[in-house]
């Protein structure tokens, strides 16, 4: 298994404050993107450091890509339709895309 | 295919138990399962994500009917069988679970 600490550092794709959107698809394998946070818009808080992508690492082959993990903040209202608090999730870069603010939405 | 473990935000499971329970284990066998799990991980028999994946792959009825460390035990046994460390059903043999 790749030692994340030994992985070459790459430029972060998302800067703190970046608006991102999580992927909507529901993979048939292990993932660390919970169902309630799929297809949702959030804001990057900060990078948390690289680690092997869990979705691939779960297959036990030892060839999982090492990606940056980001702390991403979501408004509870965006996740569940109610609540005044925020929820921060640690999410691999693969789970995120730039939020272009297009009209298509999950609701 | 969201799995049975992925219930965040799902209603109908009753109130969340917020008891301040600081005991890590409630039976000796739980501590042993935790120790065995740690030893196997340290030896690289399986990684954390494989372990989580195995628990999440349990049939929903079995998942919901088992306790936290019962799931750990069942997942460790399943991984040991899958990796060929033990034979299928070996721990069911007389003396196997000694």
């Amino acid at each position: 298994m790749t030692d994340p600490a030994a992985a070459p550092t790459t430029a972060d794709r998302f800067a703190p404050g970046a608006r991102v959107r999580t992927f909507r698809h529901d993979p048939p394998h292990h993932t660390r993107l919970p169902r309630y946070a799929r297809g949702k818009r959030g804001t990057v808080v900060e990078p948390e450091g690289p680690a092997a992508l869990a979705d691939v690492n779960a297959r036990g082959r030892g060839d999982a890509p090492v990606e940056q993990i980001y702390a991403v903040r979501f408004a509870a209202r965006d996740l569940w339709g109610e609540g005044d608090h925020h929820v921060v999730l640690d999410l691999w870069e693969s789970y995120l895309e730039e939020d272009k603010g297009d009209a298509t939405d999950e609701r | 295919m969201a799995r049975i473990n992925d219930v965040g935000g799902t209603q109908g499971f009753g109130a969340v138990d917020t008891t301040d329970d600081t005991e890590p284990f409630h039976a000796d066998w739980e501590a042993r399962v935790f120790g065995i799990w740690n030893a196997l991980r340290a030896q690289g028999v399986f990684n954390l994500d494989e372990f989580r994946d195995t628990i999440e792959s349990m049939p929903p009825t079995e998942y919901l009917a088992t306790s936290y460390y019962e799931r750990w035990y069942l997942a460790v046994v399943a991984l040991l069988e899958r990796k060929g460390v033990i034979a299928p059903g070996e721990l069911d043999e007389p003396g196997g679970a000694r």
Side-chain angles (χ1 to χ4, degrees):
Chain A
M1 188 171 73
T2 305
D3 178 4
T9 54
T10 54
D12 289 347
R13 181 177 170 196
F14 302 110
R19 296 285 298 163
V20 293
R21 181 163 174 169
T22 59
F23 276 93
R24 265 186 277 195
H25 79 282
D26 184 7
H29 50 70
H30 175 69
T31 186
R32 299 290 287 166
L33 175 61
R35 177 172 44 178
Y36 67 77
R38 290 185 191 143
K40 305 294 184 180
R41 295 185 159 103
T43 304
V44 170
V45 179
E46 59 185 357
E48 298 281 15
L53 180 62
D55 304 48
V56 179
N57 205 38
R59 294 165 205 168
R61 298 191 310 231
D63 61 347
V66 174
E67 297 183 359
Q68 183 64 270
I69 292 175
Y70 297 91
V72 181
R73 190 181 62 181
F74 300 87
R77 190 172 299 278
D78 288 341
L79 299 181
W80 298 299
E82 60 183 339
D84 295 325
H85 59 289
H86 287 86
V87 176
V88 176
L89 301 175
D90 285 347
L91 301 174
W92 268 273
E93 188 172 294
S94 282
Y95 302 165
L96 306 171
E97 59 186 354
E98 180 188 352
D99 180 11
K100 296 190 175 74
D102 54 19
T104 58
D105 205 342
E106 71 278 0
R107 293 185 188 284
Chain B
M1 185 195 70
R3 294 160 162 183
I4 187 61
N5 62 292
D6 191 2
V7 295
T10 303
Q11 303 291 320
F13 285 90
V16 174
D17 183 357
T18 57
T19 308
D20 186 14
D21 185 353
T22 57
E23 291 296 324
F25 307 110
H26 296 88
D28 288 346
W29 70 264
E30 293 183 346
R32 283 200 290 274
V33 168
F34 184 74
I36 291 166
W37 176 86
N38 258 317
L40 293 170
R41 254 192 79 193
Q43 293 175 53
V45 176
F46 53 78
N47 68 46
L48 176 63
D49 299 311
E50 285 181 284
F51 173 73
R52 285 172 168 160
D53 182 51
T54 304
I55 286 185
E56 294 166 8
S57 300
M58 289 173 66
T61 49
E62 188 176 346
Y63 182 95
L64 292 172
T66 47
S67 72
Y68 184 75
Y69 278 110
E70 283 172 346
R71 290 175 201 146
W72 279 49
Y73 172 76
L74 292 169
V76 165
V77 171
L79 280 163
L80 289 175
E81 291 183 355
R82 192 188 310 161
K83 302 277 183 176
V85 177
I86 61 174
E90 183 174 338
L91 292 185
D92 298 331
E93 298 295 318
R98 192 177 295 158

